Amino acid sequence: GVGMGMTAPVSITAFPTEDGSFQQKVKVSLRIPSQFQANPPCPTDESIKIEERQGMTIYSTQFGGYAKETDYVNYAAKLKAALGSEAAYCKDFYLCNGYDPPMKPYGRRNEVWFVKE
């Protein structure tokens, strides 16, 4: 019964297939606002879980516009190419992040994150 409003970023964990596209399973994560972090409201939907994300070091690239799956896949490929074969990062998944509400038409910010190993 508690409304928390839009949080940023909205983070989607993508599990890429051999061709780089997303598998059918994705995980959507929303940041709990600071005032609720010590005592977050309990979800009423059992498919919603509260998890604590540990600190991480990431490799990141940023782009604008209304991001679609193909945009995230393309920017993940560009980030992978830029890092080359020497960078150690988790290859099982990557994070797709959007920072803006749907009504914002200009100056949108999206990022792809690879988690450093």
Side-chain angles (χ1 to χ4, degrees):
V2 176
M4 294 188 295
M6 172 71 184
T7 64
V10 172
S11 185
I12 299 170
T13 304
F15 302 90
T17 61
E18 289 295 318
D19 68 359
S21 63
F22 292 0
Q23 289 182 19
Q24 288 299 310
K25 70 173 185 174
V26 294
K27 181 178 177 182
V28 178
S29 302
L30 305 171
R31 183 182 178 281
I32 295 176
S34 299
Q35 67 266 33
F36 296 107
Q37 288 198 6
N39 188 23
C42 294
T44 55
D45 183 331
E46 61 189 47
S47 68
I48 298 172
K49 308 285 185 241
I50 295 179
E51 299 177 351
E52 186 172 336
R53 186 180 280 177
Q54 298 301 315
M56 65 181 100
T57 301
I58 60 165
Y59 297 104
S60 178
T61 188
Q62 183 177 330
F63 62 98
Y66 283 98
K68 299 179 286 305
E69 178 181 339
T70 55
D71 298 313
Y72 286 117
V73 169
N74 289 337
Y75 279 91
K78 289 178 184 180
L79 181 56
K80 180 179 178 179
L83 292 172
S85 60
E86 297 300 314
Y89 59 92
C90 183
K91 303 204 177 29
D92 296 339
F93 69 92
Y94 58 90
L95 298 158
C96 307
N97 300 283
Y99 288 83
D100 302 295
M103 299 76 61
K104 183 177 179 184
Y106 303 106
R108 299 181 65 80
R109 176 180 165 194
N110 309 290
E111 296 176 348
V112 172
W113 296 354
F114 291 170
V115 178
K116 184 177 178 183
E117 290 184 327

